[in-house]
Amino acid sequence: MTEDTRDSNGDGEHGMTRRQLMRHSAWFGGAVVLTVVAGEVISHIPGSASAAPASSADLRFVQVSDSHIGFQGPANMDVTGTFADAINQVNSLGFRPDFVMHSGDLTHLSTPDEFDQVKQMMSQLDTDRVFTVPGEHDSIGDNGPRAYRQAFGSNTVGDGWYSFDTHGVHFIALVNTLHLEQLGHLGNDQIDFVRRDIAGLSSDTPIVIFSHIPLFAMYPAWGWGTDDAVQLLSMFRRFSSVTCLNGHVHQLFSKTEGNITFHSARPTCYPFPKPGQGPAPLPQVLPAGRLKDALGIRTVNYWQGNHALAVKDTKLA
């Protein structure tokens, strides 16, 4: 991204201007399986004719999002059941993912019991490692962030961010759900962490960034964006491949800007309206038998040198 992060309206270097927000707007989505072949990030969905066979991948991982365990309402009377369905679907992919990432809003009210339930459920995933980032529903009040970190914050720094490397790919997990006003926010400490984290990386290292709230301005009026994302993403201009994966918006959406591709995931709980189609992003009640059409998992394949993502989303069975 080429815009300066300081604007004439006084938003400052850590803010995003209205012009930048509009220019970075677009559309995006559920549980996502990503693979890496010979050091290249790949997106693959089960049954996708255009995807490489899972057996050919060096690295295969899955993203699930927005389980909202603890929610009670007509939009989904059994969020535990639909999350269990998602877990079963991941376990039925036909291969064992190297890890699974939950991209936030694991819980609905940030209670210790809800976190314990999610942790127990995710222990049933057939994978060696499970990673998470918190959503705003995992960060309610003073006790929410503490309860989240007690359950999932081992080997993290600051408010729960971290990075790791595997199979030649560098992964960064960010927290943009604390200190919320209108939009998501990262803050100087986290941005400085990223700056130090990537300083020694070769520019041909594939990068995958996880966050809950989108790192682009999908729909700022509903808080679907991160106010200091431009400052963050400007540090990744030198990399040949950057993939950003988020939740929060409860629907599919994808967007590419230069070397950066954004994907937001379907939830496993309930959908939100499309941007602007309603007064606010509230849980949608769908006709009987249609809920699972809006929930699901998605696999995503990416090969270095081939910038097109092969993406196909799978509804919950």
Side-chain angles (χ1 to χ4, degrees):
M1 302 188 183
T2 59
E3 293 98 330
D4 192 290
T5 56
R6 185 178 300 277
D7 77 297
S8 60
N9 295 324
D11 288 345
E13 63 177 336
H14 308 307
M16 186 183 293
T17 69
R18 180 177 297 275
R19 176 176 62 87
Q20 289 167 340
L21 287 170
M22 295 307 296
R23 288 189 60 182
H24 291 81
S25 295
W27 281 87
F28 211 145
V32 181
V33 176
L34 285 100
T35 65
V36 177
V37 175
E40 304 156 330
V41 183
I42 300 169
S43 63
H44 165 71
I45 287 75
S48 172
S50 61
S55 60
S56 71
D58 298 321
L59 172 67
R60 298 164 291 186
F61 68 93
V62 175
Q63 179 193 3
V64 297
S65 199
D66 293 274
S67 48
H68 281 264
I69 296 300
F71 172 83
Q72 296 180 341
N76 185 344
M77 301 301 291
D78 185 12
V79 294
T80 299
T82 51
F83 189 45
D85 289 341
I87 290 171
N88 291 335
Q89 198 154 323
V90 171
N91 290 342
S92 302
L93 285 170
F95 62 89
R96 191 170 189 266
D98 293 280
F99 68 85
V100 174
M101 163 63 75
H102 192 308
S103 54
D105 280 356
L106 296 87
T107 71
H108 195 64
L109 296 174
S110 305
T111 68
D113 286 347
E114 290 174 356
F115 284 121
D116 287 346
Q117 183 176 1
V118 175
K119 192 169 186 176
Q120 190 278 328
M121 293 182 72
M122 291 200 297
S123 72
Q124 301 169 21
L125 287 160
D126 185 16
T127 183
D128 289 331
R129 296 182 292 174
V130 174
F131 297 102
T132 65
V133 293
E136 75 279 8
H137 281 267
D138 305 315
S139 310
I140 296 174
D142 295 331
N143 293 326
R146 185 180 306 112
Y148 168 81
R149 289 194 296 272
Q150 287 176 347
F152 297 103
S154 61
N155 300 315
T156 68
V157 297
D159 288 322
W161 53 83
Y162 56 97
S163 67
F164 62 97
D165 298 276
T166 186
H167 295 74
V169 182
H170 189 66
F171 294 87
I172 305 171
L174 300 179
V175 178
N176 58 355
T177 54
L178 300 176
H179 317 296
L180 291 179
E181 293 187 8
Q182 176 63 26
L183 297 172
H185 185 72
L186 296 163
N188 290 338
D189 289 348
Q190 194 165 193
I191 290 174
D192 288 343
F193 162 79
V194 173
R195 182 179 293 109
R196 295 190 301 270
D197 180 65
I198 66 175
L201 295 179
S202 168
S203 60
D204 61 358
T205 303
I207 306 289
V208 176
I209 304 173
F210 297 109
S211 66
H212 180 64
I213 298 174
L215 292 173
F216 72 102
M218 179 174 171
Y219 197 67
W222 284 359
W224 290 1
T226 300
D227 59 11
D228 46 1
V230 170
Q231 184 181 359
L232 172 82
L233 296 177
S234 67
M235 295 188 288
F236 291 92
R237 292 175 186 152
R238 67 183 180 89
F239 292 95
S240 58
S241 170
V242 180
T243 304
C244 298
L245 302 175
N246 68 273
H248 187 59
V249 303
H250 291 221
Q251 60 194 270
L252 300 178
F253 199 85
S254 63
K255 172 185 176 64
T256 299
E257 289 191 359
N259 64 324
I260 303 177
T261 301
F262 305 87
H263 292 283
S264 107
R266 273 177 172 155
T268 71
C269 57
Y270 48 78
F272 283 156
K274 291 183 178 180
Q277 294 187 6
L282 299 174
Q284 278 193 307
V285 178
L286 299 182
R290 296 294 304 277
L291 175 61
K292 287 189 176 181
D293 291 345
L295 313 179
I297 71 172
R298 179 179 64 197
T299 58
V300 184
N301 296 331
Y302 169 75
W303 294 265
Q304 187 176 8
N306 180 0
H307 297 294
L309 289 173
V311 175
K312 178 181 177 181
D313 295 280
T314 304
K315 301 172 185 177
L316 284 192

